[in-house]
Structure formats: structure tokens, C-alpha cells
Amino acid sequence: MHEIVTIQLGQRANYVATHYWNTQESYHTFPPAPPSLVDHDISFRQGIGADGVETYMPRTVIYDLKGGFGSLKRVNELYELEAGGEGGVWNGPTTVRTAPIIQPSPYIASLSSNTTPQRPPISTVKYWSDFSHLYYHPRSIVQLNDYSLGSSLQPFENYSSGDELFDSLDKEHDLLDRDLRLWAEECDHMQGVQLFTGADDAWGGFAGRYVERIRDEYGKVGIWVWGIEDDGSGKTKEKQMLRTINAAQALHDISAHASFYIPLSNLPLRLPKYVSLKRSSEWHTSALLATAIDSVTLPCRLRGDNLQRTTFDNFEAALNVNGNQRIAQLGLSILNAHELEDKLAKQGQHGRHDSRVADLNSGYSRTGADHFEDESERPEKLDLDLLPSKESNALLLNGSARKTTHIFGRVDSFRGPFERPSPAEDEDDDEYARKRRRLMGASIRERYQSSLEYELLDTFPDIFSGVTATRSVAIHSSLSTTTEVANYVKTMQKFAGRMVGAAEREALTNGLGEIGEGYEEGFDSGSDGGSDE
């Protein structure tokens, strides 16, 4: 079955995951429509509601602070009868204290009243649950009552706070046994666990301990962590420094145990002209990240009879070329699917093979080269680079940033009416070819393609301009291990060396230095900037 179990940690991560789950639900089809290309059992599980009705809900565990769930109830309509039978043994006097009730957003209210929902205005989305289209199983909802969302008296913003909270809860409840084990045991053959988490606040510390426990408990299972960092706009210098230190600690701790750690900026430094979003809206910024995450991992959720289906393991084999490259960067380009289809038809692409696919927005072209010696052969650069603060990384390295980027491994995912590669381009995707390319020092590249376009749902904000009335786009996304990751790690190392207290500085900076070296081995940097020492 190759199931994927998801864990969501905190408000920022839950915004991204809500977009992700809304999209997963949209892949369901019903007769007379043809079967979906997506295997829903990978992400969803069957169950029985309180009244005996079959349910089909996400395989996910959602953590948030007190007040972070908005109007979402832990027990929804499908399980209310079951919850209603619970009673206490206390027969004495009781005092009832009612917390302020958070009213459902207009979008959620329209779903409850069975009226046609409209895209919610930005002013009405105050919580991630305000645009959630799904029911979740009651054991998916885990509220942490030790902290309150937005509290100024006890803010949940220090890395150590998340670390300590996990330890205290784990000692009291055994979190894996209480919250994760049942989801894992329901799987026939779990391909992996993916975590969405904030990386530069206390949730980074919580995630670091959680990933360590999962690795201890489940051994070699794939663990992918999407670590989301705030771009820092509007924050004081002190807050920016704290967030950077938190992100450096998360990078060090999570990458030590995860199969892959993908650091993400909630707002890239450069946005193409076709992206227009409100920087202060989590609903907007999370939609961009969710589009990239869903698209690049789509091949891992396709049906078993689809030749383009793959697994976390295959991604890891292509990306972790030297065995110690467990940090990847995510890239994305959005295309108007129908304009692309018309363009390819006019060029006769459906009747013959041409190794180039034009991007209608940025003019890149795709080549079949796995090993490139000049710039004309380099793989296309996507419009959106989601690795945090790349521009400032180069400045902090004081001229030691590379003039060119070396790619160790890259996996490209195309969805929409792209031309398919010729058999000659795919013929050396086996393990022997990978080993041969490793020995040659060549880049390992794999490509996956699906005709399934990305649908822009009524819960998705209008952040892409020029989209046709059909509300779907073609997407080219990629995960890669490159020397740009080394720049990011070195930047974090430099920050840690300047800002972290003496008690933790040596272990953290040495650990980050070792991580960065993993992206240097076997490659002559050709840098003019000298060493980092």
C-alpha cells in the first residue's frame, strides 16, 4: 500500500497542511468519472463513525496550541454520538467555566448549511481551520494546553521551550504510543512519515525531539521534514536573531535523524510577476508552499499501475548521492496549462520528440543532460527557489559563494500537458546507472510526469495571475541537493558562532560544519573567495 503518515506541528505548518489536505480530497473521483490517478489509500484511512457509517479521513496527527484550532471541534458530526456517551464518576457540585466561543468563518458556515461555498475573503481567514474542507478523526486532533496561541506572557518562541515541552509530555504520556502508533500499525506497508513544522520557533525544538523518537522507534522508515521559516519581515532585530538561532538548531538536530530535511521560506526573496500575494497573510503564503510540496511528492501517491509512481526511498536514492546529503531544496514554476497545451500542439510536440519544453513565464528549456560542463547544458532554473534567505547567505559568506551551482542529485516532477521524455532519456534510471554516474562525478537526475494538473480550489487564494477560467495550472517542481544547500548551512554556522551561548556554540557549529562538508566532497568548488576559516 505504501502509506504515508503525516504529522503537523503548529499554526504555520497547519496552514500549509490544510491546503495540502484540501488538495488531496480534490483528487477523489466518483462514477461516471474515470478513476483517479492518485491512490487515496496512501494518504487516507477507512473507519467507522459513531452511527456505523463508513468514514475516510486523512492519516494525520495535528498538534497546535490552546486556541490554535479556531472553530474546529475535536469531535465532529460523524463521531458525536460516540463522544456523547462519555461521563464522569464525580457526583458532587460542579462549576462550569465556558471559554469564549470562536465562530466558524463564513466559508465553514456555508459548508455546514449545505450552500455553495465561495472563495473566502482574506479578512475572514484568521485560523487554518477557517478554510479546511475535511473532517478529521478525533484522534487526529491534539491540543497542547501548556501554551496559548499568541500569548505575550508565555510565548512559544524559544527552541528550548519546544524541546522541553516534548520531553515533559513524552514522559507523562509516551507521545508516540498515544498519538502515532495506531496510525502506523494500521498501515500495510508504510513508506514513510512526513512532518510539517515551523522551524524557527519553539516548534522546531518540538520537531527535533519528535523526529529523534520516531527514528529510535521505527528504524529505517523514511522521515521527511518540511521545516518552514519566517522571512523575518516586520520583526525586530532581536526577534530575527532568535528565529535564526532556532532555525540553526532545528537544522542541526532534525537533519541528524530525518531521511530528508527540506528548509522552506514562507516567502521567497524573489517572486515572479505571475505571483501576487499578501505577505502578512498565512493563507496566501502557505498556499504557495503547499502547491510545491503537493506537486513534487505527487509521484509518491500515484496508483500502483502507474509507471510514473515512485516512493520516498527512490527519491532518497537519487538525492542523497554521497550518503550524507540529507538536506534538499525545493523549487517551483507555475504555467498556464492550457496555453502550454496549445503551444505544444502548434509545435507538433505530440507527434514527435523534442528535448526542450518552454516555460511560458521565464523561457527556460529542459535538456536530457545528466553531466554538464558549460552553462548551456545546465538544468533549468525554476522561477521560485524556496530555500530560505539565499541572497543573504551569499552576502554573509563574504564573497565565498560559488559563481555556479553544482547539482549532486535532482528529482523533477512535471504535472500537466508537458511532453514526455524519449525512452533514450529514461533508459539509465536504474541503480547501475546511478552508481556509474556517482563514480563519474556526474549529477543524478530523475524525472516523473503526470497529466494531472493542479486544481485551484475555492479554498485557494487568488495568488496566480493569468489563470484561465478552468482554474488549473501546469507545474514543474523539483527537489535537489546542491552546493546552494552548503551556502545555507554555512550561513547558519556563522550565525551560530556569533549568537549562540558558549555552552552550546562548539557542538552546534561543529555539527553544522560537518553537515556542510557533505556538500563539498568530490567537487572542486572553483570559488574565488577563499576558505571559510
Side-chain angles (χ1 to χ4, degrees), residues 307-318:
L307 297 179
Q308 293 293 309
R309 175 175 174 171
T310 189
T311 62
F312 280 5
D313 287 344
N314 290 336
F315 265 72
E316 293 161 17

Side-chain angles (χ1 to χ4, degrees), residues 4-5 33 38 49 51 104 151 159 161 203 208 351 370 425 465 467 496 499:
I4 299 172
V5 176
V38 174
D51 57 357
S151 172
Y159 189 89
S161 298
W203 286 111
D370 287 309
E425 287 184 277
S465 60
V467 177
M499 301 177 185

Side-chain angles (χ1 to χ4, degrees), residues 129-319:
S129 59
D130 287 340
F131 63 98
S132 177
H133 202 272
L134 290 82
Y135 284 124
Y136 295 98
H137 192 279
R139 59 182 165 92
S140 285
I141 307 300
V142 183
Q143 179 171 283
L144 305 183
N145 294 312
D146 302 70
Y147 291 85
S148 296
L149 182 67
S151 172
S152 58
L153 297 177
Q154 193 181 19
F156 196 57
E157 60 184 14
N158 289 296
Y159 189 89
S160 58
S161 298
D163 188 313
E164 293 165 2
L165 178 60
F166 182 90
D167 279 346
S168 65
L169 292 175
D170 197 38
K171 289 177 182 177
E172 182 177 357
H173 302 290
D174 189 341
L175 288 187
L176 263 67
D177 191 62
R178 186 192 73 178
D179 299 338
L180 181 62
R181 189 175 307 282
L182 287 175
W183 296 98
E185 290 178 349
E186 287 178 342
C187 300
D188 291 334
H189 183 71
M190 183 170 64
Q191 69 169 294
V193 177
Q194 65 173 351
L195 283 86
F196 297 90
T197 183
D200 56 0
D201 56 12
W203 286 111
F206 196 92
R209 296 290 290 117
Y210 212 137
V211 171
E212 182 180 1
R213 285 279 283 114
I214 295 173
R215 178 59 69 208
D216 289 343
E217 185 72 20
Y218 292 102
K220 295 183 179 181
V221 69
I223 305 173
W224 284 30
V225 180
W226 308 94
I228 308 162
E229 299 179 25
D230 188 87
D231 74 315
S233 58
K235 302 291 191 304
T236 65
K237 184 177 180 180
E238 289 75 18
K239 293 289 187 182
Q240 291 181 20
M241 290 174 59
L242 175 60
R243 287 187 174 274
T244 302
I245 294 171
N246 290 340
Q249 292 176 304
L251 175 68
H252 176 270
D253 294 350
I254 294 175
S255 65
H257 302 285
S259 306
F260 262 97
Y261 178 58
I262 304 97
L264 303 170
S265 173
N266 72 332
L267 188 64
L269 283 171
R270 293 189 181 93
L271 292 175
K273 292 181 180 179
Y274 61 80
V275 176
S276 176
L277 50 78
K278 188 172 179 61
R279 293 171 176 262
S280 60
S281 170
E282 291 267 27
W283 181 44
H284 276 215
T285 57
S286 61
L288 191 62
L289 296 183
T291 302
I293 293 171
D294 174 71
S295 296
V296 80
T297 59
L298 177 63
C300 300
R301 300 189 304 276
L302 296 177
R303 289 169 49 185
D305 57 358
N306 191 315
L307 297 179
Q308 293 293 309
R309 175 175 174 171
T310 189
T311 62
F312 280 5
D313 287 344
N314 290 336
F315 265 72
E316 293 161 17
L319 293 170

Side-chain angles (χ1 to χ4, degrees), residues 48 91 101 208-209 215 331 334 357 367:
I48 303 294
N91 294 318
I101 297 175
R209 296 290 290 117
R215 178 59 69 208
I334 309 292
V357 173
T367 75

